[in-house]
Amino acid sequence: MKVYFVSDGTAITAEVFGSAILSFFDIPIEMQSVPFVNTNDQANGLKRQINLEVANGNAPLVFYTISDILIREIIQSCDAHCYNVFGDLLLPIEKALGVKALPTAQKAHGMKAGVYDARIEAINYALANDDGASIKNFDQADIILLGVSRSGKTPTSLYLAMQYSIKAANYPITEDDFSAPGLPKVLRPYKKKLFGLTIDPDRLHEIRTGRMASSKYASPRQCRYELEEVESLYRQERIPFLNSTRLSVEEISAKVMAEMHLVRHRQ
Amino acid sequence: MKVYFVSDGTAITAEVFGSAILSFFDIPIEMQSVPFVNTNDQANGLKRQINLEVANGNAPLVFYTISDILIREIIQSCDAHCYNVFGDLLLPIEKALGVKALPTAQKAHGMKAGVYDARIEAINYALANDDGASIKNFDQADIILLGVSRSGKTPTSLYLAMQYSIKAANYPITEDDFSAPGLPKVLRPYKKKLFGLTIDPDRLHEIRTGRMASSKYASPRQCRYELEEVESLYRQERIPFLNSTRLSVEEISAKVMAEMHLVRHRQ
């Protein structure tokens, strides 16, 4: 089933909402985003295209977020099933707040002063402090992710920066770290910021094989050994940790935020 | 105004939807996400907390996405204004599709096989090909972003990877590139993949000053010079480009996707 996400902005809200509500249904979907629909002409062009698909027997679903009433009416008048993402909730919220909704285009994913700088700073921080690159900046970290190579540290750090403007450093635990007892020295002053990732040995073997097939690094034995050691380190040092095997980056990040009581720097 | 985003999953859908709909109102909001509410106990604990805030005269708004009927009813029965994000649209969509919604928890931001690997691969690609790091991989790129230092290439590459699983390389245009006419040699075979970023000179000066105050690099004169040159290069070579000054990473990415006719690798 083809699904259109139509918006006068980025269409991200329509995408997120539409894919979430469609995840309740066991049907394959083909997503097509149409962002920045800001003129009647653009809306009418899209309407013709959608009506043609309906006429050809391929009626799509349409989710939209559009502020301008005229443009909204053009989309709503397509022959397909069209859903206004905010449709039925704007009025009750107006009532609850005792404030009228602004008639101008809202910009849910537009640039917000201050917030934006915090976010870019967090992204730069994550990049500069990826893979233990710059341990001297750990005092600025909101969180330091630990884990063996390929257990999900880097994508998680970047997502925490992008979504929550959280400064996440990450530090790879390697075989060398297991020879001495306790935490690597550089981490000891930051114990409260540490959060561990682990992963199932089979999955780690699979991922590492994709990078470096038939290496000692990717061998089931090495993966098992490193994971046993790192989990025992987490337990001994009472570092909170989670297994990333069946989790998306979004889920890992949301769990880390909740467990570490981190507060987003974006509002 | 305090706003809760409550979910049995990551709460990302509730966050995105709730902040988007609240962007219609000119009120400051304080966002609090409560992800992974999966038991009656958790829901009742949250209900007590919310009711206490209401009793103290600070009634929050609550947006929620929860599949389990009992847990949903506990949240819905809080004394605050509570909004079921999917509330009124599930039934019409069931009708349109002729399919019943699944009773089990939907996982809008859970892990999807295949998709996940494409995404991690795209993130790794963006990191490995950041800042012209590895021009030998340009043939694998879905897109190559150009721009002078600090014009927004890196955050955009990472967002394209994270959100759309698009492999975005980026290549910094420096003063050296202006001495010879035309495109830098390494880019010439990939002309169709090129997309340029530019930015207002004042904003570039501000950003670069944050990195390296009072340097030639950050001087208004240098910023102006580089931007004039790079824009003239884009025009001469007919490379599509946009000005990132007043755009969020989401907006830049959505515009790049649309203009370059890129198709997401995530469904």
Side-chain angles (χ1 to χ4, degrees):
Chain A
M1 158 102 22
K2 177 115 167 237
V3 185
Y4 281 96
F5 304 112
V6 183
S7 172
D8 48 10
T10 60
I12 291 173
T13 303
E15 281 173 22
V16 169
F17 177 87
S19 0
I21 202 164
L22 289 175
S23 75
F24 281 100
F25 298 93
D26 191 16
I27 47 163
I29 62 172
E30 181 201 336
M31 292 160 60
Q32 167 130 24
S33 293
V34 189
F36 308 113
V37 176
N38 290 304
T39 65
N40 291 3
D41 278 359
Q42 286 173 303
N44 278 316
L46 180 61
K47 179 179 169 177
R48 276 192 297 276
Q49 179 185 332
I50 290 172
N51 286 352
L52 192 66
E53 291 176 21
V54 178
N56 290 335
N58 301 313
L61 295 185
V62 180
F63 291 89
Y64 65 88
T65 62
I66 293 171
S67 297
D68 183 87
I69 297 177
L70 288 176
I71 298 177
R72 202 158 65 208
E73 279 175 357
I74 295 169
I75 299 299
Q76 185 61 52
S77 69
C78 291
D79 296 336
H81 290 285
C82 297
Y83 305 101
N84 182 349
V85 168
F86 299 131
D88 300 321
L89 279 188
L90 259 183
L91 269 173
I93 293 176
E94 276 192 345
K95 258 176 111 175
L97 295 175
V99 178
K100 278 267 166 209
L102 301 170
T104 50
Q106 52 86 29
K107 286 195 135 206
H109 294 93
M111 181 132 149
K112 294 163 194 112
V115 170
Y116 192 74
D117 283 346
R119 183 191 204 185
I120 298 294
E121 208 184 310
I123 293 172
N124 289 336
Y125 183 87
L127 290 174
N129 296 279
D130 185 38
D131 220 21
S134 184
I135 54 175
K136 64 182 190 294
N137 293 327
F138 280 178
D139 52 335
Q140 293 165 42
D142 294 311
I143 181 171
I144 302 167
L145 296 172
L146 309 182
V148 304
S149 169
R150 298 288 117 178
S151 50
K153 301 182 299 299
T154 298
T156 306
S157 308
L158 291 171
Y159 191 84
L160 287 168
M162 194 79 82
Q163 182 75 5
Y164 303 108
S165 300
I166 288 289
K167 286 188 181 171
N170 74 72
Y171 184 91
I173 303 285
T174 64
E175 220 172 325
D176 293 346
D177 296 315
F178 304 137
S179 52
L183 279 172
K185 254 190 195 151
V186 291
L187 297 176
R188 290 181 199 166
Y190 307 104
K191 197 150 170 194
K192 287 196 175 147
K193 295 184 182 184
L194 304 181
F195 189 95
L197 294 179
T198 188
I199 187 171
D200 290 353
D202 291 350
R203 178 68 184 137
L204 185 62
H205 162 62
E206 194 177 81
I207 297 172
R208 288 186 172 184
T209 298
R211 289 196 95 196
M212 226 184 282
S214 315
S215 59
K216 180 188 168 204
Y217 167 79
S219 70
R221 186 198 173 108
Q222 179 71 15
C223 291
R224 239 180 359 252
Y225 164 69
E226 289 184 29
L227 289 168
E228 273 164 19
E229 289 286 330
V230 85
E231 288 179 22
S232 118
L233 177 69
Y234 296 154
R235 285 197 190 91
Q236 268 169 33
E237 299 288 330
R238 302 217 168 94
I239 295 167
F241 70 100
L242 65 76
N243 186 317
S244 68
T245 311
R246 272 158 217 90
L247 301 177
S248 68
V249 179
E250 282 85 349
E251 288 171 317
I252 299 168
S253 302
K255 281 176 195 283
V256 168
M257 291 291 293
E259 194 141 347
M260 298 295 276
H261 305 287
L262 291 172
V263 176
R264 66 169 65 224
H265 296 308
R266 299 178 71 192
Q267 289 291 357
Chain B
M1 158 98 27
K2 177 116 166 235
V3 185
Y4 282 97
F5 303 111
V6 183
S7 173
D8 48 11
T10 60
I12 290 173
T13 303
E15 282 173 22
V16 170
F17 177 87
S19 358
I21 203 165
L22 289 174
S23 75
F24 281 99
F25 299 94
D26 191 18
I27 48 164
I29 61 172
E30 181 199 337
M31 291 160 61
Q32 169 130 24
S33 294
V34 190
F36 309 111
V37 176
N38 289 305
T39 66
N40 291 2
D41 278 0
Q42 286 172 303
N44 278 315
L46 180 60
K47 178 178 170 178
R48 276 192 297 276
Q49 180 185 331
I50 290 172
N51 286 351
L52 194 65
E53 291 175 21
V54 178
N56 290 335
N58 302 312
L61 295 184
V62 180
F63 291 89
Y64 64 89
T65 60
I66 292 171
S67 298
D68 183 88
I69 296 177
L70 289 175
I71 298 177
R72 202 159 65 209
E73 279 174 356
I74 295 170
I75 299 300
Q76 186 60 51
S77 70
C78 290
D79 296 336
H81 290 285
C82 297
Y83 305 101
N84 182 349
V85 167
F86 299 130
D88 300 322
L89 280 189
L90 258 183
L91 269 173
I93 293 176
E94 277 192 344
K95 257 176 110 177
L97 295 175
V99 179
K100 279 266 165 212
L102 301 170
T104 49
Q106 53 83 29
K107 285 197 137 206
H109 295 93
M111 181 134 147
K112 293 162 195 112
V115 171
Y116 192 73
D117 283 346
R119 184 190 204 184
I120 298 294
E121 209 184 308
I123 293 172
N124 289 336
Y125 183 87
L127 290 173
N129 296 279
D130 186 36
D131 222 20
S134 184
I135 54 174
K136 65 180 189 294
N137 293 327
F138 280 178
D139 53 334
Q140 292 165 43
D142 293 311
I143 181 172
I144 303 167
L145 295 172
L146 309 182
V148 304
S149 169
R150 296 290 117 180
S151 49
K153 300 182 299 299
T154 298
T156 306
S157 309
L158 291 170
Y159 191 83
L160 286 169
M162 195 78 83
Q163 183 74 6
Y164 303 107
S165 301
I166 288 289
K167 286 188 182 172
N170 73 73
Y171 185 90
I173 303 286
T174 65
E175 220 173 325
D176 293 345
D177 296 315
F178 304 137
S179 51
L183 279 172
K185 254 190 195 150
V186 291
L187 297 177
R188 291 182 199 166
Y190 307 105
K191 198 150 169 195
K192 287 197 173 146
K193 296 184 181 183
L194 304 181
F195 190 95
L197 294 179
T198 187
I199 187 171
D200 290 353
D202 291 351
R203 178 66 184 138
L204 185 62
H205 162 63
E206 194 177 84
I207 298 172
R208 288 186 172 182
T209 298
R211 290 195 94 196
M212 226 184 280
S214 315
S215 59
K216 181 188 167 206
Y217 167 79
S219 70
R221 186 198 174 106
Q222 179 72 13
C223 292
R224 238 180 359 251
Y225 164 68
E226 288 184 29
L227 290 168
E228 272 164 19
E229 290 285 330
V230 85
E231 289 178 22
S232 118
L233 177 69
Y234 295 155
R235 286 197 191 93
Q236 269 169 30
E237 298 289 330
R238 301 218 168 98
I239 295 167
F241 70 99
L242 64 77
N243 186 315
S244 69
T245 311
R246 273 159 216 90
L247 301 177
S248 67
V249 179
E250 282 84 349
E251 289 171 318
I252 300 169
S253 303
K255 281 178 195 281
V256 168
M257 291 291 292
E259 195 141 348
M260 299 294 277
H261 305 288
L262 291 172
V263 176
R264 66 169 66 225
H265 296 308
R266 299 178 72 193
Q267 290 290 359

